[in-house]
Amino acid sequence: MSNQTMNAQAAKRLRQVRWYQEPRWQRLGGLLALALLLAMVTGVQGTNSDPFYAIKENLTGVGLWVYVGIALLIWVAREFFSEPVKQAGATAKQAKGTLVDGPLGQIKQLLAGQPRLRWALMAAVAALAVWGPMGLDRYWQTVLVDQVMIFVLVAIGLNVVIGWAGMLDLGFIAFFAIGAYSAAYWTGALPVAPPIELNNFAVIPLAVITCLVAGLLLGAPTLRLRGDYLAIVTLGFHEIVYLTAKNLNDVTGGTSGVKVDRWEIGGYEFRIVDQMPFYWVLLAFAAITVFLFVRLEHSKVGRAWTAVREDEIAAASTGVDTVRYKLMAFAIGASTSGLAGVAYASKVGYINSENFVILLSILVLAYVIFGGMGSLPGVIFGAAFLVWLPEFLRDYVDPKDRHMYLGALLVIMMIYRPQGVIPSKRRQRELKMAETGSAEAEAEATGTGGKHS
């Protein structure tokens, strides 16, 4: 046998793919490893007396086999049924146009041609939003008021900064804290006395103006920055506000906190035992804010924000005062967060510095991204759903593990639907154009390569 033949056989053996190197079996190994990880994470926890107790229990319990079974089902579906599913998806995609022109299109045409029917549908949704929560038990009413409605307001404000103006803000909850401490200051709850004590409901305009000014003060020296640099500055701003509230005990009460008076309107004092009056006021605030922001989105200011978000250099070259409009976005978003801060302090009746940690800023950012940046319905849904989800899991998941499930949901969302649950039409169009452009570029590169080969 010649050396050339031996070399060819050796090269063939090197190129040979072993069974464990095939993608099919690598995917199986990855799924089984994930099943093992989930069994350990969701199983019992270890003890100080026996560090291996959790390993022994979780690797011999029923939970491991349940996860292994699920992993095997996913693997079988992926390896042996993916082609029929792809063909069915392609068929459904081709039939989408027929579906839109069919029943769905007829429904849209009916609503467009019948304004009374459209208004009746909107009235039914409004009535459900107003009176529907009365059927919930007290715990879920508390969750709805103390968490869902508050963070919906904060997320709406952050959507202006991130979704419309395209500025990454990692410290947005700082304005929420400023609004809460403004309510505490003007009602005389802080150790320092205000020049005049006000009713907690009358504090709202002052707190909104305070947060608006704070947004201007933060933005004026920093908004010439872009991207990661701006994000780091906003993160630092949050830490300044948080550490100031934590360390100035003689001014803010520090970690000991202060008691804040609850709202009082026309002699009626809001009581903690009755959640619905708080809910109705917050719902009115949210409705007014959404109405104003919808008008703002389609105004000259909203179009300028869109131009800044798409390409700041191009916007500036066409005469858009980018710094001015970015300052407006920061100030308007901050004022909305300040309103939410006043509502939170007044509802809970007690605040301290630990109510405004950096985790809240990250969570609010996740709400906006999950729902759909730039989409008001998406942001409202994202905030409501992701605030409700950990409370729903409280009877099934250890409190320390709730955010792990939230993180897993966000990872899955970013992989399969990066535009969000209810994306804006503009963002949908952008992603579709990006995908089309990538496909065309890849096809062109493949064709060019074929010609040169």
Side-chain angles (χ1 to χ4, degrees):
M1 184 180 297
S2 64
N3 292 334
Q4 185 176 0
T5 304
M6 294 176 62
N7 292 335
Q9 292 178 350
K12 184 179 179 180
R13 285 195 298 270
L14 289 174
R15 289 194 299 266
Q16 184 179 0
V17 178
R18 305 293 191 274
W19 69 270
Y20 56 83
Q21 293 175 323
E22 294 181 3
R24 170 177 296 182
W25 304 111
Q26 288 181 345
R27 285 191 287 266
L28 176 61
L31 285 171
L32 292 177
L34 179 61
L36 178 62
L37 177 63
L38 289 174
M40 292 297 300
V41 169
T42 59
V44 299
Q45 300 183 7
T47 61
N48 294 332
S49 59
D50 186 2
F52 299 100
Y53 173 76
I55 297 177
K56 291 185 292 186
E57 290 294 323
N58 295 330
L59 296 185
T60 57
V62 179
L64 174 63
W65 299 109
V66 171
Y67 285 118
V68 168
I70 294 174
L72 290 175
L73 287 176
I74 294 174
W75 180 75
V76 170
R78 165 67 178 79
E79 301 302 330
F80 301 103
F81 298 98
S82 60
E83 289 302 324
V85 170
K86 286 181 180 179
Q87 294 176 0
T91 304
K93 191 173 182 180
Q94 292 176 356
K96 185 178 180 181
T98 306
L99 182 62
V100 172
D101 296 334
L104 292 180
Q106 293 176 3
I107 293 174
K108 289 182 179 179
Q109 292 178 1
L110 178 64
L111 292 177
Q114 298 289 335
R116 292 183 178 180
L117 181 60
R118 186 169 65 251
W119 282 107
L121 182 61
M122 294 173 62
V125 173
L128 180 63
V130 173
W131 288 288
M134 296 181 68
L136 301 175
D137 58 32
R138 182 178 174 183
Y139 173 79
W140 285 109
Q141 286 182 350
T142 303
V143 170
L144 180 64
V145 176
D146 290 4
Q147 300 182 52
V148 173
M149 293 304 299
I150 297 295
F151 283 105
V152 162
L153 282 173
V154 178
I156 289 173
L158 183 59
N159 182 59
V160 175
V161 181
I162 294 181
W164 290 347
M167 298 181 292
L168 181 58
D169 189 344
L170 297 181
F172 194 71
I173 213 67
F175 301 111
F176 181 66
I178 292 173
Y181 278 104
S182 296
Y185 173 72
W186 288 107
T187 56
L190 294 182
V192 292
I196 181 174
E197 289 190 15
L198 299 175
N199 177 283
N200 207 356
F201 202 80
V203 168
I204 293 177
L206 289 175
V208 169
I209 294 174
T210 302
C211 290
L212 191 147
V213 173
L216 292 176
L217 292 177
L218 169 65
T222 61
L223 286 186
R224 295 188 184 276
L225 301 174
R226 300 191 188 101
D228 299 340
Y229 300 102
L230 177 61
I232 292 172
V233 169
T234 58
L235 182 63
F237 176 71
H238 171 273
E239 288 304 298
I240 291 172
V241 173
Y242 167 70
L243 292 176
T244 300
K246 182 177 182 179
N247 296 327
L248 292 183
N249 295 324
D250 297 335
V251 177
T252 63
T255 55
S256 299
V258 293
K259 292 183 179 180
V260 183
D261 294 336
R262 292 187 171 85
W263 280 335
E264 184 177 344
I265 305 176
Y268 176 79
E269 184 178 355
F270 287 66
R271 298 174 298 169
I272 193 172
V273 295
D274 192 359
Q275 306 292 332
M276 294 309 297
F278 282 104
Y279 169 74
W280 287 324
V281 172
L282 291 176
L283 184 64
F285 285 155
I288 294 172
T289 304
V290 168
F291 173 77
L292 294 177
F293 280 9
V294 167
R295 303 285 294 180
L296 191 62
E297 181 185 8
H298 299 288
S299 67
K300 175 184 176 182
V301 176
R303 292 192 295 271
W305 284 339
T306 301
V308 171
R309 178 174 62 85
E310 295 296 331
D311 192 329
E312 186 174 346
I313 297 176
S317 66
T318 56
V320 177
D321 190 346
T322 57
V323 174
R324 175 190 174 193
Y325 285 108
K326 287 164 71 176
L327 276 175
M328 289 179 63
F330 240 107
I332 293 172
S335 61
T336 307
S337 185
L339 171 62
V342 176
Y344 175 78
S346 305
K347 172 59 178 70
V348 177
Y350 168 84
I351 59 171
N352 67 3
S353 60
E354 301 309 306
N355 294 128
F356 311 106
V357 294
I358 190 63
L359 176 62
L360 291 181
S361 292
I362 305 303
L363 288 176
V364 175
L365 177 61
Y367 301 159
V368 173
I369 295 174
F370 179 83
M373 290 190 297
S375 168
L376 283 173
V379 167
I380 293 172
F381 172 80
F385 179 77
L386 292 185
V387 170
W388 166 83
L389 183 62
E391 296 299 324
F392 173 76
L393 296 174
R394 66 189 180 95
D395 294 331
Y396 311 101
V397 178
D398 189 281
K400 294 179 291 186
D401 295 337
R402 291 181 193 173
H403 288 108
M404 177 185 65
Y405 289 87
L406 185 63
L409 177 62
L410 291 174
V411 170
I412 295 172
M413 191 71 188
M414 290 301 98
I415 293 174
Y416 294 103
R417 194 172 177 81
Q419 67 268 33
V421 178
I422 310 176
S424 64
K425 293 181 179 179
R426 181 182 296 275
R427 192 164 295 275
Q428 277 184 309
R429 186 164 58 250
E430 289 172 358
L431 289 172
K432 185 176 181 180
M433 291 174 62
E435 291 176 358
T436 304
S438 299
E440 291 177 355
E442 184 178 354
E444 183 178 353
T446 303
T448 304
K451 290 178 182 179
H452 285 288
S453 60

